[in-house]
């Protein structure tokens, strides 16, 4: 089945090469990370590089963080690897991806030879999940929560209601640790049949270049995914980071950061609402560390913002969105204020 969207386009493309000097509002990695204490942990692991990676301690630490046995945890080279493993290792006949969302799950399924169905959530409904739109014969369902790029946080019980006998329900919670209290999280739940939860440690902790994430699922599913992994898929520095990022100290810091993000996002949204007269609309309510904007002439606006020193994420590569959408990462108030001034100039310069 052909796709009209560039499923391999990601926010980092906006800040490569000639975009390297821009203020980065295109990538959803928390600014100012990794913190010094985490860099020290990673640097300390370099003395062990002569030995093959041993993931047992990190796996046990992640399991303990979610109150699960270790056999329900699989460490991966970022959450993106988990999508590839799911696409290759599970006997899937009718996969369905809920869009708009992160495009790698569909790309991985297509690369594995699957024909992928789509459930498209509608802007006029606030991109909220409609369980009735899900095909009953779907045996693999993928949904993000909070969803990238819409920033919508779906109720956990609503997502859990998608579970069916014989269905694998994959919930991408890569940004859940940016939600204060991680409300609506399904990580750690063992009462939902077929549930697979993916988590990333790269966003909150600034480890996109290190690649570390994990899967939470029933032991049989974890075993199947593990068999599909290459040997030693997670490096020793990444394992050290994983163990550190689920410590009590790290969890407390992540919660404080989530509350700061929520306050900064409220400031950003309030500023964006001042442009309603220009046709700017904010999808929401936004609950993630980014917001989705409907902007008339968004392509021209994005290019003008680049001229003014700001990179934002184009929205038209996400199924369910068109050329009039942009995604903007939440940053500190000073950066937000400068961006809002640039947006004002970009909008007023349109023909």
């Amino acid at each position: 089945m052909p796709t009209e969207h560039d499923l391999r386009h990601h926010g980092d493309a906006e800040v490569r090469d000639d975009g390297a000097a821009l203020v980065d509002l295109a990538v959803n990695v928390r600014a100012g990370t990794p913190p010094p204490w985490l860099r020290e942990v990673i640097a300390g692991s370099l003395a062990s590089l002569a030995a093959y990676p041993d993931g047992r301690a990190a796996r046990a630490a992640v399991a303990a963080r979610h109150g699960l046995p270790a056999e329900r945890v699989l460490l991966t080279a970022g959450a993106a690897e988990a999508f590839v493993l799911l696409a290759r290792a599970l006997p899937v006949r009718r996969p369905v991806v809920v869009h708009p969302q992160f495009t790698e799950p569909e790309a991985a399924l297509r690369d594995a030879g699957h024909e992928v169905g789509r459930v498209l959530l509608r802007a006029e409904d606030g991109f909220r999940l409609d369980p009735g739109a899900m095909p009953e014969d779907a045996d693999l369902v993928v949904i993000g929560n909070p969803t990238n790029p819409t920033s919508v946080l779906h109720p956990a019980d609503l997502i859990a209601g998608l579970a069916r006998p014989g269905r694998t329900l994959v919930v991408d919670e890569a940004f859940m640790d940016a939600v204060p209290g991680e409300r609506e999280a399904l990580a750690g739940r063992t009462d939902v049949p077929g549930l697979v939860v993916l988590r990333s440690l790269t966003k909150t902790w600034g480890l996109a270049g290190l690649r570390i994430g994990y899967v939470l699922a029933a032991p049989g599913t974890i075993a199947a995914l593990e068999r599909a992994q290459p040997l030693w898929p997670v490096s020793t520095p990444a394992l050290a980071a994983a163990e550190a990022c689920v410590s009590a100290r790290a969890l407390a810091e992540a919660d404080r950061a989530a509350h700061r993000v929520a306050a900064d996002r409220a400031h950003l949204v309030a500023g964006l609402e001042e442009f309603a007269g220009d046709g700017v609309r904010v999808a929401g309510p936004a609950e993630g560390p980014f917001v989705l904007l409907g902007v008339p002439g968004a392509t021209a606006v994005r290019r003008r913002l680049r001229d003014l020193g700001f990179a934002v994420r184009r929205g038209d590569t996400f199924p369910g969105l068109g050329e009039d959408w942009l995604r903007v990462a939440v940053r500190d108030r000073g950066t937000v204020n400068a961006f809002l001034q640039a947006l004002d100039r970009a909008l007023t310069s349109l023909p």
Side-chain angles (χ1 to χ4, degrees), residues 9-41:
H9 181 89
H10 300 297
D12 63 312
E14 308 284 353
V15 290
R16 290 198 299 259
D17 302 328
D18 64 339
L22 300 176
V23 176
D24 181 7
L25 304 181
V27 176
N28 292 324
V29 173
R30 183 165 65 99
T33 52
W37 66 264
L38 182 53
R39 291 200 298 269
E40 291 175 7
V41 168

Side-chain angles (χ1 to χ4, degrees), residues 186-213:
L186 286 165
R189 293 272 297 268
T190 59
D191 61 319
V192 181
L195 178 64
V196 177
V197 175
L198 276 55
R199 285 288 183 106
S200 171
L201 296 173
T202 66
K203 311 298 192 297
T204 287
W205 298 110
L207 300 175
L210 195 61
R211 311 307 307 142
I212 180 65

Side-chain angles (χ1 to χ4, degrees), residues 139-333:
D139 62 352
L140 177 73
V141 173
V142 185
I143 185 170
N145 204 37
T147 303
N148 171 21
T150 65
S151 205
V152 170
L153 183 66
H154 304 290
D157 288 344
L158 195 65
I159 294 179
L162 296 176
R164 299 285 188 278
R167 173 183 290 177
T168 300
L169 176 58
V170 180
V171 185
D172 177 8
E173 292 188 350
F175 294 100
M176 187 61 77
D177 59 355
V179 176
E182 296 196 359
R183 68 185 193 283
E184 311 302 347
L186 286 165
R189 293 272 297 268
T190 59
D191 61 319
V192 181
L195 178 64
V196 177
V197 175
L198 276 55
R199 285 288 183 106
S200 171
L201 296 173
T202 66
K203 311 298 192 297
T204 287
W205 298 110
L207 300 175
L210 195 61
R211 311 307 307 142
I212 180 65
Y214 54 89
V215 181
L216 307 174
T221 300
I222 293 295
L225 299 179
E226 191 169 19
R227 287 192 295 270
Q229 276 187 313
L231 292 174
W232 309 292
V234 181
S235 69
T236 294
L239 292 171
E243 191 170 356
C245 289
V246 296
S247 67
R249 170 187 182 175
L251 295 179
E253 181 174 327
D255 187 62
R256 291 192 297 271
H259 281 87
R260 285 197 301 273
V261 165
D264 290 338
R265 183 183 61 241
H267 179 66
L268 171 60
V269 169
L272 291 168
E273 289 174 344
E274 296 295 318
F275 297 102
D278 297 298
V280 175
R281 61 196 189 280
V282 182
E287 298 283 358
F290 45 87
V291 296
L292 180 66
L293 307 180
V295 183
T299 299
V301 171
R302 180 172 63 87
R303 290 171 180 163
R304 178 62 176 141
L305 285 169
R306 291 182 71 85
D307 294 339
L308 295 169
F310 291 86
V312 297
R313 171 68 156 89
R314 57 190 280 202
D316 61 328
T317 63
F318 293 99
L321 299 181
E323 293 185 353
D324 286 347
W325 294 94
L326 300 172
R327 191 192 69 197
V328 179
V330 174
R331 297 289 186 252
D332 64 273
R333 291 195 174 206

